[in-house]
PDB file of all heavy atoms in Angstrom:
ATOM      1  N   HIS D  50      -2.772  -3.025  13.129  1.00 92.00           N
ATOM      2  CA  HIS D  50      -2.245  -1.730  12.714  1.00 92.00           C
ATOM      3  C   HIS D  50      -0.725  -1.764  12.634  1.00 92.00           C
ATOM      4  O   HIS D  50      -0.099  -2.745  13.060  1.00 92.00           O
ATOM      5  CB  HIS D  50      -2.722  -0.632  13.664  1.00 92.00           C
ATOM      6  CG  HIS D  50      -2.342  -0.875  15.092  1.00 92.00           C
ATOM      7  ND1 HIS D  50      -1.111  -0.536  15.596  1.00 92.00           N
ATOM      8  CD2 HIS D  50      -3.028  -1.433  16.103  1.00 92.00           C
ATOM      9  CE1 HIS D  50      -1.066  -0.879  16.860  1.00 92.00           C
ATOM     10  NE2 HIS D  50      -2.210  -1.434  17.194  1.00 92.00           N
ATOM     11  N   ASN D  51      -0.132  -0.689  12.101  1.00 87.00           N
ATOM     12  CA  ASN D  51       1.324  -0.600  12.026  1.00 87.00           C
ATOM     13  C   ASN D  51       1.880  -0.699  13.440  1.00 87.00           C
ATOM     14  O   ASN D  51       1.432   0.014  14.337  1.00 87.00           O
ATOM     15  CB  ASN D  51       1.772   0.734  11.420  1.00 87.00           C
ATOM     16  CG  ASN D  51       1.360   0.879   9.964  1.00 87.00           C
ATOM     17  OD1 ASN D  51       0.523   1.698   9.643  1.00 87.00           O
ATOM     18  ND2 ASN D  51       1.937   0.096   9.104  1.00 87.00           N
ATOM     19  N   GLN D  98       7.069  -7.291   1.180  1.00 86.00           N
ATOM     20  CA  GLN D  98       6.284  -6.202   0.613  1.00 86.00           C
ATOM     21  C   GLN D  98       6.827  -5.693  -0.718  1.00 86.00           C
ATOM     22  O   GLN D  98       6.086  -5.510  -1.673  1.00 86.00           O
ATOM     23  CB  GLN D  98       6.273  -5.066   1.638  1.00 86.00           C
ATOM     24  CG  GLN D  98       5.299  -3.968   1.319  1.00 86.00           C
ATOM     25  CD  GLN D  98       5.342  -2.856   2.363  1.00 86.00           C
ATOM     26  OE1 GLN D  98       5.944  -1.810   2.152  1.00 86.00           O
ATOM     27  NE2 GLN D  98       4.721  -3.079   3.499  1.00 86.00           N
ATOM     28  N   GLY D 153       4.613  -4.283 -11.128  1.00 82.00           N
ATOM     29  CA  GLY D 153       4.759  -4.651  -9.720  1.00 82.00           C
ATOM     30  C   GLY D 153       4.094  -5.980  -9.394  1.00 82.00           C
ATOM     31  O   GLY D 153       4.665  -6.828  -8.718  1.00 82.00           O
ATOM     32  N   MET D 180       2.344  -2.309  -2.353  1.00 83.00           N
ATOM     33  CA  MET D 180       2.901  -1.368  -3.319  1.00 83.00           C
ATOM     34  C   MET D 180       2.295  -1.527  -4.714  1.00 83.00           C
ATOM     35  O   MET D 180       2.807  -0.979  -5.675  1.00 83.00           O
ATOM     36  CB  MET D 180       4.412  -1.575  -3.417  1.00 83.00           C
ATOM     37  CG  MET D 180       5.091  -1.397  -2.079  1.00 83.00           C
ATOM     38  SD  MET D 180       6.861  -1.542  -2.183  1.00 83.00           S
ATOM     39  CE  MET D 180       7.278  -0.019  -2.990  1.00 83.00           C
ATOM     40  N   LEU D 181       1.204  -2.271  -4.823  1.00 85.00           N
ATOM     41  CA  LEU D 181       0.690  -2.611  -6.152  1.00 85.00           C
ATOM     42  C   LEU D 181      -0.548  -1.804  -6.544  1.00 85.00           C
ATOM     43  O   LEU D 181      -1.281  -1.320  -5.692  1.00 85.00           O
ATOM     44  CB  LEU D 181       0.362  -4.100  -6.203  1.00 85.00           C
ATOM     45  CG  LEU D 181       1.483  -5.050  -5.787  1.00 85.00           C
ATOM     46  CD1 LEU D 181       1.035  -6.483  -5.950  1.00 85.00           C
ATOM     47  CD2 LEU D 181       2.753  -4.792  -6.580  1.00 85.00           C
ATOM     48  N   ASP D 182      -0.789  -1.717  -7.878  1.00 87.00           N
ATOM     49  CA  ASP D 182      -2.009  -1.093  -8.354  1.00 87.00           C
ATOM     50  C   ASP D 182      -3.161  -2.097  -8.217  1.00 87.00           C
ATOM     51  O   ASP D 182      -2.928  -3.270  -7.942  1.00 87.00           O
ATOM     52  CB  ASP D 182      -1.835  -0.562  -9.790  1.00 87.00           C
ATOM     53  CG  ASP D 182      -1.378  -1.627 -10.752  1.00 87.00           C
ATOM     54  OD1 ASP D 182      -1.883  -2.758 -10.665  1.00 87.00           O
ATOM     55  OD2 ASP D 182      -0.519  -1.339 -11.592  1.00 87.00           O
ATOM     56  N   ASN D 184      -5.044  -3.847 -10.133  1.00 88.00           N
ATOM     57  CA  ASN D 184      -4.961  -5.092 -10.869  1.00 88.00           C
ATOM     58  C   ASN D 184      -3.851  -5.989 -10.332  1.00 88.00           C
ATOM     59  O   ASN D 184      -4.027  -7.209 -10.217  1.00 88.00           O
ATOM     60  CB  ASN D 184      -4.742  -4.794 -12.353  1.00 88.00           C
ATOM     61  CG  ASN D 184      -5.116  -5.961 -13.213  1.00 88.00           C
ATOM     62  OD1 ASN D 184      -6.145  -6.589 -12.977  1.00 88.00           O
ATOM     63  ND2 ASN D 184      -4.284  -6.276 -14.178  1.00 88.00           N
ATOM     64  N   HIS D 209      -3.106  -4.930   4.957  1.00 93.00           N
ATOM     65  CA  HIS D 209      -3.873  -3.790   5.462  1.00 93.00           C
ATOM     66  C   HIS D 209      -5.125  -3.573   4.625  1.00 93.00           C
ATOM     67  O   HIS D 209      -5.868  -2.625   4.850  1.00 93.00           O
ATOM     68  CB  HIS D 209      -3.038  -2.517   5.412  1.00 93.00           C
ATOM     69  CG  HIS D 209      -2.032  -2.407   6.515  1.00 93.00           C
ATOM     70  ND1 HIS D 209      -2.313  -2.778   7.805  1.00 93.00           N
ATOM     71  CD2 HIS D 209      -0.767  -1.974   6.524  1.00 93.00           C
ATOM     72  CE1 HIS D 209      -1.248  -2.573   8.552  1.00 93.00           C
ATOM     73  NE2 HIS D 209      -0.283  -2.094   7.792  1.00 93.00           N
ATOM     74  N   ARG D 248      -7.697   0.605  14.881  1.00 93.00           N
ATOM     75  CA  ARG D 248      -7.146   1.319  13.728  1.00 93.00           C
ATOM     76  C   ARG D 248      -7.347   0.563  12.421  1.00 93.00           C
ATOM     77  O   ARG D 248      -6.659   0.797  11.438  1.00 93.00           O
ATOM     78  CB  ARG D 248      -5.633   1.594  13.895  1.00 93.00           C
ATOM     79  CG  ARG D 248      -5.277   2.410  15.127  1.00 93.00           C
ATOM     80  CD  ARG D 248      -3.786   2.650  15.171  1.00 93.00           C
ATOM     81  NE  ARG D 248      -3.321   3.300  13.960  1.00 93.00           N
ATOM     82  CZ  ARG D 248      -3.166   4.597  13.817  1.00 93.00           C
ATOM     83  NH1 ARG D 248      -3.450   5.395  14.804  1.00 93.00           N
ATOM     84  NH2 ARG D 248      -2.727   5.101  12.686  1.00 93.00           N
ATOM     85  N   GLN D 253     -15.299  -1.941   1.955  1.00 94.00           N
ATOM     86  CA  GLN D 253     -16.231  -0.833   1.723  1.00 94.00           C
ATOM     87  C   GLN D 253     -17.681  -1.318   1.655  1.00 94.00           C
ATOM     88  O   GLN D 253     -18.579  -0.671   2.193  1.00 94.00           O
ATOM     89  CB  GLN D 253     -15.850  -0.089   0.434  1.00 94.00           C
ATOM     90  CG  GLN D 253     -16.300   1.360   0.479  1.00 94.00           C
ATOM     91  CD  GLN D 253     -15.938   2.129  -0.794  1.00 94.00           C
ATOM     92  OE1 GLN D 253     -15.709   1.559  -1.859  1.00 94.00           O
ATOM     93  NE2 GLN D 253     -15.915   3.439  -0.692  1.00 94.00           N
ATOM     94  N   VAL D 254     -17.903  -2.480   1.028  1.00 95.00           N
ATOM     95  CA  VAL D 254     -19.274  -2.978   0.900  1.00 95.00           C
ATOM     96  C   VAL D 254     -19.841  -3.374   2.272  1.00 95.00           C
ATOM     97  O   VAL D 254     -21.017  -3.156   2.561  1.00 95.00           O
ATOM     98  CB  VAL D 254     -19.351  -4.149  -0.119  1.00 95.00           C
ATOM     99  CG1 VAL D 254     -18.480  -5.307   0.279  1.00 95.00           C
ATOM    100  CG2 VAL D 254     -20.779  -4.621  -0.306  1.00 95.00           C
ATOM    101  N   GLU D 260     -23.832   0.816   7.482  1.00 95.00           N
ATOM    102  CA  GLU D 260     -24.479   2.134   7.538  1.00 95.00           C
ATOM    103  C   GLU D 260     -25.968   2.011   7.208  1.00 95.00           C
ATOM    104  O   GLU D 260     -26.801   2.675   7.835  1.00 95.00           O
ATOM    105  CB  GLU D 260     -23.805   3.081   6.538  1.00 95.00           C
ATOM    106  CG  GLU D 260     -22.398   3.504   6.937  1.00 95.00           C
ATOM    107  CD  GLU D 260     -22.406   4.506   8.080  1.00 95.00           C
ATOM    108  OE1 GLU D 260     -23.403   5.231   8.229  1.00 95.00           O
ATOM    109  OE2 GLU D 260     -21.418   4.540   8.840  1.00 95.00           O
ATOM    110  N   SER D 264     -29.383   2.807   9.425  1.00 92.00           N
ATOM    111  CA  SER D 264     -30.456   3.694   8.981  1.00 92.00           C
ATOM    112  C   SER D 264     -31.791   2.968   8.908  1.00 92.00           C
ATOM    113  O   SER D 264     -32.765   3.517   8.393  1.00 92.00           O
ATOM    114  CB  SER D 264     -30.133   4.278   7.611  1.00 92.00           C
ATOM    115  OG  SER D 264     -28.928   4.983   7.660  1.00 92.00           O
ATOM    116  N   GLY D 265     -31.827   1.715   9.336  1.00 91.00           N
ATOM    117  CA  GLY D 265     -33.116   1.052   9.479  1.00 91.00           C
ATOM    118  C   GLY D 265     -33.443  -0.026   8.462  1.00 91.00           C
ATOM    119  O   GLY D 265     -34.520  -0.615   8.530  1.00 91.00           O
ATOM    120  N   ARG D 275     -20.376  -7.949  -2.743  1.00 94.00           N
ATOM    121  CA  ARG D 275     -21.394  -7.201  -3.476  1.00 94.00           C
ATOM    122  C   ARG D 275     -22.620  -8.061  -3.701  1.00 94.00           C
ATOM    123  O   ARG D 275     -23.751  -7.604  -3.589  1.00 94.00           O
ATOM    124  CB  ARG D 275     -20.827  -6.770  -4.833  1.00 94.00           C
ATOM    125  CG  ARG D 275     -19.993  -5.526  -4.739  1.00 94.00           C
ATOM    126  CD  ARG D 275     -18.927  -5.488  -5.808  1.00 94.00           C
ATOM    127  NE  ARG D 275     -19.439  -5.733  -7.145  1.00 94.00           N
ATOM    128  CZ  ARG D 275     -18.652  -6.042  -8.184  1.00 94.00           C
ATOM    129  NH1 ARG D 275     -17.354  -6.142  -8.014  1.00 94.00           N
ATOM    130  NH2 ARG D 275     -19.178  -6.243  -9.361  1.00 94.00           N
ATOM    131  N   LEU D 282     -30.593  -6.739  -0.198  1.00 94.00           N
ATOM    132  CA  LEU D 282     -31.485  -5.621  -0.509  1.00 94.00           C
ATOM    133  C   LEU D 282     -32.718  -6.107  -1.265  1.00 94.00           C
ATOM    134  O   LEU D 282     -33.817  -5.579  -1.071  1.00 94.00           O
ATOM    135  CB  LEU D 282     -30.741  -4.550  -1.312  1.00 94.00           C
ATOM    136  CG  LEU D 282     -29.757  -3.713  -0.500  1.00 94.00           C
ATOM    137  CD1 LEU D 282     -28.980  -2.767  -1.385  1.00 94.00           C
ATOM    138  CD2 LEU D 282     -30.457  -2.934   0.606  1.00 94.00           C
ATOM    139  N   ARG D 286     -37.054  -5.686  -0.308  1.00 82.00           N
ATOM    140  CA  ARG D 286     -38.054  -5.010  -1.145  1.00 82.00           C
ATOM    141  C   ARG D 286     -39.478  -5.404  -0.815  1.00 82.00           C
ATOM    142  O   ARG D 286     -39.743  -6.553  -0.496  1.00 82.00           O
ATOM    143  CB  ARG D 286     -37.783  -5.318  -2.618  1.00 82.00           C
ATOM    144  CG  ARG D 286     -37.029  -4.199  -3.275  1.00 82.00           C
ATOM    145  CD  ARG D 286     -37.231  -4.180  -4.761  1.00 82.00           C
ATOM    146  NE  ARG D 286     -36.616  -5.330  -5.398  1.00 82.00           N
ATOM    147  CZ  ARG D 286     -35.966  -5.261  -6.583  1.00 82.00           C
ATOM    148  NH1 ARG D 286     -35.840  -4.109  -7.198  1.00 82.00           N
ATOM    149  NH2 ARG D 286     -35.466  -6.339  -7.126  1.00 82.00           N
TER     150      ARG D 286
ATOM    151  N   HIS A  54      -1.663   2.517 -13.644  1.00 89.00           N
ATOM    152  CA  HIS A  54      -1.009   1.274 -13.246  1.00 89.00           C
ATOM    153  C   HIS A  54       0.488   1.510 -12.997  1.00 89.00           C
ATOM    154  O   HIS A  54       1.008   2.557 -13.391  1.00 89.00           O
ATOM    155  CB  HIS A  54      -1.212   0.198 -14.318  1.00 89.00           C
ATOM    156  CG  HIS A  54      -0.643   0.571 -15.655  1.00 89.00           C
ATOM    157  ND1 HIS A  54       0.667   0.323 -16.003  1.00 89.00           N
ATOM    158  CD2 HIS A  54      -1.193   1.189 -16.721  1.00 89.00           C
ATOM    159  CE1 HIS A  54       0.880   0.765 -17.219  1.00 89.00           C
ATOM    160  NE2 HIS A  54      -0.229   1.308 -17.678  1.00 89.00           N
ATOM    161  N   THR A  55       1.172   0.548 -12.380  1.00 84.00           N
ATOM    162  CA  THR A  55       2.617   0.704 -12.172  1.00 84.00           C
ATOM    163  C   THR A  55       3.277   0.793 -13.541  1.00 84.00           C
ATOM    164  O   THR A  55       2.961   0.006 -14.429  1.00 84.00           O
ATOM    165  CB  THR A  55       3.246  -0.482 -11.407  1.00 84.00           C
ATOM    166  OG1 THR A  55       2.486  -1.641 -11.676  1.00 84.00           O
ATOM    167  CG2 THR A  55       3.302  -0.242  -9.930  1.00 84.00           C
ATOM    168  N   TYR A 104       7.265   6.456   0.412  1.00 84.00           N
ATOM    169  CA  TYR A 104       7.999   6.090   1.622  1.00 84.00           C
ATOM    170  C   TYR A 104       8.960   7.207   2.050  1.00 84.00           C
ATOM    171  O   TYR A 104      10.159   6.984   2.176  1.00 84.00           O
ATOM    172  CB  TYR A 104       8.769   4.768   1.419  1.00 84.00           C
ATOM    173  CG  TYR A 104       7.846   3.602   1.243  1.00 84.00           C
ATOM    174  CD1 TYR A 104       7.380   3.249  -0.017  1.00 84.00           C
ATOM    175  CD2 TYR A 104       7.394   2.871   2.338  1.00 84.00           C
ATOM    176  CE1 TYR A 104       6.479   2.199  -0.175  1.00 84.00           C
ATOM    177  CE2 TYR A 104       6.516   1.820   2.182  1.00 84.00           C
ATOM    178  CZ  TYR A 104       6.071   1.480   0.924  1.00 84.00           C
ATOM    179  OH  TYR A 104       5.188   0.437   0.762  1.00 84.00           O
ATOM    180  N   GLY A 186       1.365   1.270   2.600  1.00 85.00           N
ATOM    181  CA  GLY A 186       1.909   0.554   3.749  1.00 85.00           C
ATOM    182  C   GLY A 186       1.346   0.970   5.095  1.00 85.00           C
ATOM    183  O   GLY A 186       1.760   0.444   6.117  1.00 85.00           O
ATOM    184  N   LEU A 187       0.404   1.932   5.117  1.00 88.00           N
ATOM    185  CA  LEU A 187      -0.165   2.341   6.403  1.00 88.00           C
ATOM    186  C   LEU A 187      -1.438   1.548   6.689  1.00 88.00           C
ATOM    187  O   LEU A 187      -2.134   1.119   5.774  1.00 88.00           O
ATOM    188  CB  LEU A 187      -0.506   3.832   6.387  1.00 88.00           C
ATOM    189  CG  LEU A 187       0.654   4.810   6.250  1.00 88.00           C
ATOM    190  CD1 LEU A 187       0.130   6.244   6.351  1.00 88.00           C
ATOM    191  CD2 LEU A 187       1.699   4.574   7.329  1.00 88.00           C
ATOM    192  N   ASP A 188      -1.771   1.397   7.984  1.00 90.00           N
ATOM    193  CA  ASP A 188      -3.006   0.715   8.338  1.00 90.00           C
ATOM    194  C   ASP A 188      -4.189   1.633   8.018  1.00 90.00           C
ATOM    195  O   ASP A 188      -4.010   2.824   7.781  1.00 90.00           O
ATOM    196  CB  ASP A 188      -2.979   0.276   9.813  1.00 90.00           C
ATOM    197  CG  ASP A 188      -2.735   1.418  10.773  1.00 90.00           C
ATOM    198  OD1 ASP A 188      -3.404   2.457  10.656  1.00 90.00           O
ATOM    199  OD2 ASP A 188      -1.852   1.289  11.642  1.00 90.00           O
ATOM    200  N   LYS A 190      -6.522   3.203   9.619  1.00 90.00           N
ATOM    201  CA  LYS A 190      -6.648   4.454  10.366  1.00 90.00           C
ATOM    202  C   LYS A 190      -5.543   5.427   9.963  1.00 90.00           C
ATOM    203  O   LYS A 190      -5.785   6.617   9.764  1.00 90.00           O
ATOM    204  CB  LYS A 190      -6.576   4.141  11.871  1.00 90.00           C
ATOM    205  CG  LYS A 190      -6.662   5.332  12.797  1.00 90.00           C
ATOM    206  CD  LYS A 190      -8.068   5.906  12.795  1.00 90.00           C
ATOM    207  CE  LYS A 190      -8.330   6.969  13.859  1.00 90.00           C
ATOM    208  NZ  LYS A 190      -7.277   7.834  14.234  1.00 90.00           N
ATOM    209  N   GLY A 191      -4.334   4.914   9.813  1.00 88.00           N
ATOM    210  CA  GLY A 191      -3.208   5.744   9.387  1.00 88.00           C
ATOM    211  C   GLY A 191      -3.474   6.361   8.021  1.00 88.00           C
ATOM    212  O   GLY A 191      -3.157   7.528   7.787  1.00 88.00           O
ATOM    213  N   HIS A 215      -2.917   4.514  -5.471  1.00 91.00           N
ATOM    214  CA  HIS A 215      -3.389   3.257  -6.050  1.00 91.00           C
ATOM    215  C   HIS A 215      -4.725   2.870  -5.447  1.00 91.00           C
ATOM    216  O   HIS A 215      -5.270   1.828  -5.768  1.00 91.00           O
ATOM    217  CB  HIS A 215      -2.396   2.121  -5.769  1.00 91.00           C
ATOM    218  CG  HIS A 215      -1.251   2.074  -6.724  1.00 91.00           C
ATOM    219  ND1 HIS A 215      -1.384   2.437  -8.045  1.00 91.00           N
ATOM    220  CD2 HIS A 215       0.035   1.707  -6.569  1.00 91.00           C
ATOM    221  CE1 HIS A 215      -0.221   2.289  -8.646  1.00 91.00           C
ATOM    222  NE2 HIS A 215       0.664   1.867  -7.770  1.00 91.00           N
ATOM    223  N   GLU A 218     -10.736   4.146  -3.849  1.00 91.00           N
ATOM    224  CA  GLU A 218     -11.668   4.633  -2.834  1.00 91.00           C
ATOM    225  C   GLU A 218     -11.166   5.947  -2.239  1.00 91.00           C
ATOM    226  O   GLU A 218     -11.931   6.890  -2.074  1.00 91.00           O
ATOM    227  CB  GLU A 218     -11.845   3.594  -1.715  1.00 91.00           C
ATOM    228  CG  GLU A 218     -12.715   2.382  -2.088  1.00 91.00           C
ATOM    229  CD  GLU A 218     -11.955   1.318  -2.881  1.00 91.00           C
ATOM    230  OE1 GLU A 218     -10.715   1.412  -2.996  1.00 91.00           O
ATOM    231  OE2 GLU A 218     -12.602   0.396  -3.402  1.00 91.00           O
ATOM    232  N   GLU A 255      -5.685  -1.760 -15.974  1.00 89.00           N
ATOM    233  CA  GLU A 255      -5.218  -2.349 -14.715  1.00 89.00           C
ATOM    234  C   GLU A 255      -5.731  -1.595 -13.497  1.00 89.00           C
ATOM    235  O   GLU A 255      -5.198  -1.734 -12.401  1.00 89.00           O
ATOM    236  CB  GLU A 255      -3.681  -2.398 -14.628  1.00 89.00           C
ATOM    237  CG  GLU A 255      -2.998  -2.695 -15.925  1.00 89.00           C
ATOM    238  CD  GLU A 255      -2.355  -4.052 -15.942  1.00 89.00           C
ATOM    239  OE1 GLU A 255      -1.545  -4.307 -15.060  1.00 89.00           O
ATOM    240  OE2 GLU A 255      -2.705  -4.856 -16.825  1.00 89.00           O
ATOM    241  N   GLN A 260     -15.280   0.229  -4.769  1.00 93.00           N
ATOM    242  CA  GLN A 260     -16.186  -0.908  -4.577  1.00 93.00           C
ATOM    243  C   GLN A 260     -17.655  -0.482  -4.606  1.00 93.00           C
ATOM    244  O   GLN A 260     -18.489  -1.184  -5.171  1.00 93.00           O
ATOM    245  CB  GLN A 260     -15.851  -1.608  -3.250  1.00 93.00           C
ATOM    246  CG  GLN A 260     -16.098  -3.093  -3.296  1.00 93.00           C
ATOM    247  CD  GLN A 260     -15.803  -3.786  -1.968  1.00 93.00           C
ATOM    248  OE1 GLN A 260     -15.498  -3.156  -0.960  1.00 93.00           O
ATOM    249  NE2 GLN A 260     -15.892  -5.097  -1.966  1.00 93.00           N
ATOM    250  N   VAL A 261     -17.974   0.701  -4.048  1.00 94.00           N
ATOM    251  CA  VAL A 261     -19.384   1.119  -4.012  1.00 94.00           C
ATOM    252  C   VAL A 261     -19.933   1.384  -5.408  1.00 94.00           C
ATOM    253  O   VAL A 261     -21.122   1.177  -5.663  1.00 94.00           O
ATOM    254  CB  VAL A 261     -19.634   2.374  -3.136  1.00 94.00           C
ATOM    255  CG1 VAL A 261     -19.498   2.032  -1.675  1.00 94.00           C
ATOM    256  CG2 VAL A 261     -18.768   3.531  -3.523  1.00 94.00           C
ATOM    257  N   TYR A 263     -19.242  -0.327  -8.057  1.00 95.00           N
ATOM    258  CA  TYR A 263     -19.650  -1.643  -8.549  1.00 95.00           C
ATOM    259  C   TYR A 263     -20.950  -2.102  -7.882  1.00 95.00           C
ATOM    260  O   TYR A 263     -21.809  -2.698  -8.513  1.00 95.00           O
ATOM    261  CB  TYR A 263     -18.550  -2.676  -8.291  1.00 95.00           C
ATOM    262  CG  TYR A 263     -17.340  -2.482  -9.167  1.00 95.00           C
ATOM    263  CD1 TYR A 263     -16.162  -1.962  -8.648  1.00 95.00           C
ATOM    264  CD2 TYR A 263     -17.382  -2.809 -10.514  1.00 95.00           C
ATOM    265  CE1 TYR A 263     -15.053  -1.779  -9.452  1.00 95.00           C
ATOM    266  CE2 TYR A 263     -16.274  -2.626 -11.327  1.00 95.00           C
ATOM    267  CZ  TYR A 263     -15.106  -2.113 -10.793  1.00 95.00           C
ATOM    268  OH  TYR A 263     -14.017  -1.933 -11.592  1.00 95.00           O
ATOM    269  N   CYS A 264     -21.077  -1.800  -6.594  1.00 94.00           N
ATOM    270  CA  CYS A 264     -22.306  -2.170  -5.885  1.00 94.00           C
ATOM    271  C   CYS A 264     -23.510  -1.549  -6.576  1.00 94.00           C
ATOM    272  O   CYS A 264     -24.536  -2.205  -6.760  1.00 94.00           O
ATOM    273  CB  CYS A 264     -22.283  -1.658  -4.446  1.00 94.00           C
ATOM    274  SG  CYS A 264     -21.236  -2.595  -3.374  1.00 94.00           S
ATOM    275  N   ASP A 267     -24.357  -3.269  -9.764  1.00 95.00           N
ATOM    276  CA  ASP A 267     -25.032  -4.541  -9.490  1.00 95.00           C
ATOM    277  C   ASP A 267     -26.498  -4.314  -9.124  1.00 95.00           C
ATOM    278  O   ASP A 267     -27.383  -5.033  -9.566  1.00 95.00           O
ATOM    279  CB  ASP A 267     -24.358  -5.276  -8.308  1.00 95.00           C
ATOM    280  CG  ASP A 267     -22.974  -5.784  -8.679  1.00 95.00           C
ATOM    281  OD1 ASP A 267     -22.614  -5.694  -9.865  1.00 95.00           O
ATOM    282  OD2 ASP A 267     -22.265  -6.260  -7.774  1.00 95.00           O
ATOM    283  N   ALA A 271     -29.958  -5.393 -10.958  1.00 94.00           N
ATOM    284  CA  ALA A 271     -30.963  -6.209 -10.281  1.00 94.00           C
ATOM    285  C   ALA A 271     -32.322  -5.494 -10.237  1.00 94.00           C
ATOM    286  O   ALA A 271     -33.253  -5.955  -9.578  1.00 94.00           O
ATOM    287  CB  ALA A 271     -30.504  -6.552  -8.863  1.00 94.00           C
ATOM    288  N   LYS A 286     -25.019   5.321   0.214  1.00 95.00           N
ATOM    289  CA  LYS A 286     -25.993   5.153   1.287  1.00 95.00           C
ATOM    290  C   LYS A 286     -27.252   5.955   0.975  1.00 95.00           C
ATOM    291  O   LYS A 286     -28.370   5.439   1.051  1.00 95.00           O
ATOM    292  CB  LYS A 286     -25.349   5.641   2.585  1.00 95.00           C
ATOM    293  CG  LYS A 286     -26.200   5.502   3.816  1.00 95.00           C
ATOM    294  CD  LYS A 286     -25.431   6.022   5.022  1.00 95.00           C
ATOM    295  CE  LYS A 286     -26.375   6.417   6.140  1.00 95.00           C
ATOM    296  NZ  LYS A 286     -25.658   7.100   7.220  1.00 95.00           N
ATOM    297  N   LYS A 295     -36.649   5.963   2.039  1.00 76.00           N
ATOM    298  CA  LYS A 295     -36.352   6.278   3.443  1.00 76.00           C
ATOM    299  C   LYS A 295     -35.714   7.645   3.622  1.00 76.00           C
ATOM    300  O   LYS A 295     -35.228   7.968   4.692  1.00 76.00           O
ATOM    301  CB  LYS A 295     -35.426   5.209   4.023  1.00 76.00           C
ATOM    302  CG  LYS A 295     -36.107   3.874   4.181  1.00 76.00           C
ATOM    303  CD  LYS A 295     -35.744   3.242   5.500  1.00 76.00           C
ATOM    304  CE  LYS A 295     -36.496   1.934   5.648  1.00 76.00           C
ATOM    305  NZ  LYS A 295     -36.588   1.510   7.028  1.00 76.00           N
TER     306      LYS A 295
END
Side-chain angles (χ1 to χ4, degrees):
Chain D
H50 58 83
N51 294 112
Q98 191 181 101
M180 302 183 73
L181 307 183
D182 55 41
N184 200 43
H209 282 319
R248 301 182 56 95
Q253 207 180 21
V254 59
E260 289 286 334
S264 301
R275 278 151 51 195
L282 286 175
R286 262 204 292 219
Chain A
H54 60 87
T55 29
Y104 293 88
L187 295 184
D188 56 49
K190 179 71 171 33
H215 277 327
E218 285 81 10
E255 323 249 304
Q260 213 182 5
V261 288
Y263 289 106
C264 285
D267 291 352
K286 182 180 158 188
K295 291 223 177 201

